Amino acid sequence: ANMDLLGCIVVAAVTCVGGGSTRDVLIGRTPVFWLREVVYLEVIVACSFATFLFWPRAEQQWRGNPDHELLAFADALGMGAFAVLGSDVAIKEGCSTLPCVCFGLMSATFGGLMRDVLTRRPVRILHARIDGVEKTLYGTAALVGSIVFVFLRLYCPNVNDDVAAAAGFLATCGVRITAYRKRVVLPSYLDKFRAPRVYPPTTAHS
């Protein structure tokens, strides 16, 4: 998107805290988490600055591939962590089952949604194909991990909380990485299945 350093930091911050901020506002958990724990912003600024400096070299090494395996693996780890953390916050705030799952999905993916809107890109979690390239399961992985974690926490009292968290994290990572390697995508609406429109002939009037 040809952004400068400040733009990159802003987009990185929105990506990292956007989902959790939306969750906190909807739950009524204010001030939002990064205002209470400023270390999040400090890490974001430091990582953004380092990425801004070293990304051109990495991009050259990876031949400009935004879906490089290393990036997909790192993204899966972050997605798994945020899916579990988001659902855990919702559970502690007394939300019921479905909202807990939704907040896990939101925490893991809505930051990326905001990033795509800011950079005028197709929203990643809503499209199976972007710029003619198939995109493997993304939001679905966070959804699966959230479901696993919430189910174990709310309906399996004999399961330790740490075990439930690990299971949700691994489920998210497992689905995302497997989908990446096996190129698994959700079915999408294709224009070729739509019946062609037939328009009545136009009549020229003098």
Side-chain angles (χ1 to χ4, degrees):
N2 295 322
M3 292 188 176
D4 58 16
L5 176 59
L6 178 59
C8 291
I9 293 175
V10 170
V11 171
V14 169
T15 305
C16 291
V17 304
S21 298
T22 305
R23 174 204 64 215
D24 285 356
V25 169
L26 290 177
I27 292 178
R29 186 173 177 254
T30 53
V32 294
F33 70 100
W34 55 270
L35 291 178
R36 288 179 277 108
E37 300 176 62
V38 187
V39 65
Y40 284 100
L41 288 182
E42 295 171 346
V43 172
I44 289 170
V45 171
C47 291
S48 299
F49 186 76
T51 303
F52 187 84
L53 293 178
F54 296 109
W55 179 253
R57 181 180 299 177
E59 188 176 34
Q60 189 176 40
Q61 183 177 353
W62 297 335
R63 299 177 181 177
N65 179 16
D67 287 332
H68 190 273
E69 186 172 8
L70 181 60
L71 293 177
F73 181 75
D75 190 43
L77 297 180
M79 182 183 295
F82 280 113
V84 169
L85 288 173
S87 295
D88 186 60
V89 167
I91 290 173
K92 290 177 178 177
E93 292 295 323
C95 296
S96 58
T97 303
L98 184 57
C100 288
V101 172
C102 291
F103 282 127
L105 173 64
M106 182 181 297
S107 299
T109 63
F110 271 38
L113 182 153
M114 295 177 188
R115 173 205 63 215
D116 292 340
V117 171
L118 285 176
T119 56
R120 299 180 181 181
R121 296 285 298 164
V123 177
R124 175 68 178 83
I125 65 171
L126 302 181
H127 295 83
R129 181 181 293 270
I130 297 177
D131 296 334
V133 179
E134 282 190 339
K135 298 294 182 178
T136 53
L137 297 184
Y138 195 75
T140 306
L143 183 62
V144 169
S146 299
I147 291 173
V148 170
F149 173 70
V150 171
F151 177 79
L152 293 177
R153 277 290 306 273
L154 297 182
Y155 298 99
C156 301
N158 295 327
V159 176
N160 183 276
D161 290 352
D162 292 337
V163 174
F169 174 80
L170 292 175
T172 303
C173 294
V175 171
R176 176 70 187 113
I177 294 172
T178 300
Y180 175 84
R181 290 182 172 174
K182 302 294 185 180
R183 308 310 299 173
V184 180
V185 298
L186 286 177
S188 60
Y189 182 82
L190 300 177
D191 283 341
K192 67 181 180 180
F193 292 124
R194 185 196 306 177
R197 292 183 179 182
V198 178
Y199 295 96
T202 57
T203 304
H205 298 279
S206 56

